[in-house]
Amino acid sequence: MMLPSSDFFMDFQQDLLDLSNLFNFSDVSSFTQNIPIEWVESALRLSASATIRRRRLPSDQVLWLVLGMAMFRNEPVHEVARRLNVCAQGLASDNLLARSGVTNARKRLGSEPVEWLFRQTGTHWGHERYPEDEWNGLRVMAVDGALFRTQDTPELREHFGSGNTSSKRQTPFPMLRLVALMNVRSHIMIDAQISPYRRGEIPLAESFLSSIPDNSVTLFDKGFWSANLMLTLTQQDVDRHWMIPERKGLVHEVIKTYSDGDELIQMKVSPQARKKNPDLPETWQVRRVTYQIKSGTKSVMTSLPVERFSAAQVSELYKERWEIELGFRDIKSAMQNNAITLRSKKTDLVYQELWGLLLCYNIIRREASMAAVSFDRVPSEIRFKPVCDYIAVQLIVMAAANPISGTGRRLSELRSGIGSLFLERRPRPTTPRTVKISKTRYPVDRYAAPLK
């Protein structure tokens, strides 16, 4: 989002500070259970460049800067640092930071502490219980993938790759792949994997199957169809189920018909899958539910047993898979202002930026969920963008009120005003899908002059 002018912020900060009896910015007790300072300290110990030098940008402030980058996408990084006042006490806090100093500070921090802190939030917050967060006794999860673009530099194109095909057509930007596991009811990202474009979604999803809780059902997009993935999910732990749309042209045999549109089918496991995992059976059986939609019929495959869950329940539940799509929309639209090209130009900083984006998303979602609960509402009833905008302004207020506060302290001061946002149940608007950038048959020359 584009930040308003400095004069606007001075006036707006004063207005908010005058309302301190309503928005208690100095109360640190309300948020300490969210980001314990111990988490921050543990994350920073992972930084590869430990130092005793008194730097202008200490590591805990750089971590705060990475979160600020996620909130203020249209601002240059050094300007975000200045607005959030992340300099150490007494170290040129009134002067502009050199751009190279900000970049070097980010390099010293690296991506690993930010990734670790994101996983901590997913582990602890993603399994929290909220009102109406279960479906017939099961937690509802979703897995899906998204693509992000990077700056077009030789280093990033070499590492992340692009959408090349056999005809040497390629995307104008290097691409990286994100696959995430979301709690559908709270929208918290429980786990995620980031990789270069060429790595497939299924191997990435297989890496975090252990993060899926017992007594749950996980909703997949059809691109995740894999006997190994589905069978591994159901064989691990207790009462874990899945649901996925039927693939076009799937060869199967009907074993049993439960009712109209509700069948048990049998399929062969491919030789490639059995070569990868010799423990897989030669055939496997799944339940297929077919139901009416506006454009005709739709079939979903599931491990949910017919004795416990009707076909109507199954078909209604799969509609919630779109909640993870809304989560990706919130990240790309509300937080990134539709700027899907990440700003970093070094490989490790690209990972740092995207992990910081996911971490910041979880913080906002957790705050929205807690605010909703305080009003006896469910997390889905508070809209993401107003909360995101509120926190963005509050960061500026906190920087002015307490400029030397570290990451742990600042994160402890975010929630107080969110609960006062007006909660209103509204139908979700429908928006057209984004048109993908077309590939070109010619090699990409990043130095070519733009067409006029």
Side-chain angles (χ1 to χ4, degrees):
M1 72 195 77
M2 181 65 71
L3 289 177
S5 65
S6 299
D7 292 339
F8 170 84
F9 272 111
M10 292 177 62
D11 296 339
F12 192 50
Q13 288 172 18
Q14 187 59 50
D15 291 341
L16 288 180
L17 291 173
D18 290 342
L19 296 175
S20 58
N21 60 330
L22 178 61
F23 300 135
N24 186 9
F25 294 114
S26 62
D27 182 10
V28 300
S29 63
S30 65
F31 200 85
T32 50
Q33 73 265 31
N34 278 14
I35 300 280
I37 294 177
E38 293 79 7
W39 288 12
V40 178
E41 293 173 347
S42 297
L44 295 178
R45 282 196 291 269
L46 298 175
S47 180
S49 301
T51 178
I52 61 173
R53 178 181 171 187
R54 188 171 181 239
R55 295 187 178 275
R56 183 172 300 179
L57 280 173
S59 294
D60 67 327
Q61 300 287 46
V62 179
L63 181 58
W64 183 246
L65 170 63
V66 173
L67 294 179
M69 289 171 55
M71 298 294 296
F72 305 115
R73 175 60 181 85
N74 287 349
E75 288 289 320
V77 178
H78 70 280
E79 179 67 12
V80 176
R82 188 187 69 82
R83 289 284 178 90
L84 296 182
N85 209 347
V86 296
C87 288
Q89 184 179 15
L91 292 179
S93 59
D94 294 331
N95 299 324
L96 288 175
L97 288 167
R99 299 188 183 190
S100 59
V102 174
T103 301
N104 290 335
R106 291 183 59 205
K107 289 179 180 178
R108 288 194 301 271
L109 178 66
S111 62
E112 191 174 358
V114 189
E115 178 185 354
W116 185 89
L117 198 52
F118 161 74
R119 297 193 188 282
Q120 283 291 101
T121 64
T123 299
H124 287 80
W125 302 346
H127 302 296
E128 290 178 328
R129 297 301 182 101
Y130 296 96
E132 303 179 22
D133 70 342
E134 289 190 352
W135 175 81
N136 294 312
L138 299 178
R139 311 289 298 281
V140 185
M141 307 290 154
V143 172
D144 204 356
L147 296 176
F148 288 83
R149 302 190 317 216
T150 74
Q151 301 292 323
D152 191 9
T153 68
E155 175 186 338
L156 298 183
R157 189 172 284 277
E158 174 68 22
H159 179 82
F160 291 109
S162 61
N164 296 337
T165 67
S166 57
S167 62
K168 297 186 179 180
R169 290 154 60 100
Q170 56 184 316
T171 53
F173 292 88
M175 308 287 288
L176 70 157
R177 191 180 301 280
L178 165 69
V179 175
L181 169 68
M182 173 189 279
N183 183 323
V184 166
R185 299 299 171 89
S186 69
H187 283 209
I188 293 289
M189 296 289 186
I190 297 177
D191 208 341
Q193 289 291 343
I194 302 172
S195 79
Y197 175 82
R198 284 299 180 183
R199 191 173 180 194
E201 290 182 330
I202 293 176
L204 294 176
E206 289 174 343
S207 67
F208 53 65
L209 286 183
S210 59
S211 299
I212 299 176
D214 294 350
N215 304 305
S216 65
V217 54
T218 304
L219 313 178
F220 291 90
D221 183 52
K222 61 182 177 182
F224 292 87
W225 177 256
S226 163
N228 183 57
L229 181 65
M230 302 305 160
L231 290 174
T232 302
L233 174 60
T234 54
Q235 290 169 358
Q236 293 178 351
D237 301 316
V238 179
D239 208 19
R240 299 202 307 175
H241 300 281
W242 52 266
M243 191 182 303
I244 190 171
E246 180 181 3
R247 289 184 60 180
K248 185 177 180 180
L250 185 68
V251 178
H252 64 275
E253 176 186 0
V254 177
I255 302 299
K256 185 176 181 179
T257 299
Y258 301 115
S259 62
D260 186 24
D262 194 358
E263 304 169 319
L264 179 67
I265 65 173
Q266 179 172 284
M267 300 161 293
K268 292 183 178 180
V269 178
S270 69
Q272 295 84 355
R274 298 189 65 228
K275 182 178 180 180
K276 179 181 177 181
N277 183 0
D279 294 332
L280 292 177
E282 293 185 2
T283 62
W284 61 313
Q285 297 180 354
V286 301
R287 181 184 178 190
R288 182 177 70 171
V289 174
T290 303
Y291 55 96
Q292 293 289 327
I293 58 176
K294 290 183 179 180
S295 58
T297 61
K298 184 180 184 67
S299 296
V300 294
M301 322 289 262
T302 183
S303 64
L304 293 169
V306 67
E307 296 81 11
R308 293 170 55 188
F309 307 98
S310 68
Q313 289 175 317
V314 170
S315 61
E316 187 66 24
L317 174 64
Y318 191 74
K319 297 177 183 177
E320 296 193 33
R321 194 200 70 80
W322 290 100
E323 295 299 319
I324 192 171
E325 299 275 9
L326 297 179
F328 290 145
R329 182 201 63 183
D330 290 335
I331 291 174
K332 291 184 176 183
S333 179
M335 297 180 67
Q336 291 291 88
N337 199 26
N338 294 319
I340 60 175
T341 302
L342 301 175
R343 65 173 85 192
S344 302
K345 296 182 179 180
K346 295 294 181 180
T347 301
D348 193 47
L349 297 188
V350 169
Y351 284 106
Q352 180 194 82
E353 181 180 349
L354 190 49
W355 286 122
L357 190 59
L358 296 177
L359 171 60
C360 191
Y361 170 84
N362 267 2
I363 292 172
I364 297 171
R365 272 294 175 194
R366 180 40 159 45
E367 288 306 289
S369 297
M370 299 302 292
V373 169
S374 68
F375 277 73
D376 295 325
R377 309 291 284 271
V378 296
S380 61
E381 291 180 329
I382 187 166
R383 289 170 291 151
F384 182 86
K385 185 169 177 54
V387 177
C388 183
D389 292 343
Y390 173 84
I391 291 179
V393 173
Q394 192 173 346
L395 296 183
I396 305 295
V397 175
M398 287 191 296
N402 193 2
I404 63 172
S405 176
T407 301
R409 172 86 179 185
R410 292 189 184 190
L411 291 174
S412 300
E413 299 170 358
L414 282 178
R415 185 188 308 161
S416 3
I418 296 175
S420 64
L421 294 176
F422 183 72
L423 301 179
E424 181 181 356
R425 184 185 293 274
R426 294 185 177 183
R428 297 191 184 274
T430 58
T431 55
R433 286 181 172 268
T434 302
V435 178
K436 295 182 179 179
I437 296 178
S438 60
K439 297 175 183 177
T440 172
R441 69 181 66 184
Y442 305 106
V444 173
D445 183 359
R446 65 189 184 94
Y447 301 105
L451 296 176
K452 296 183 179 179

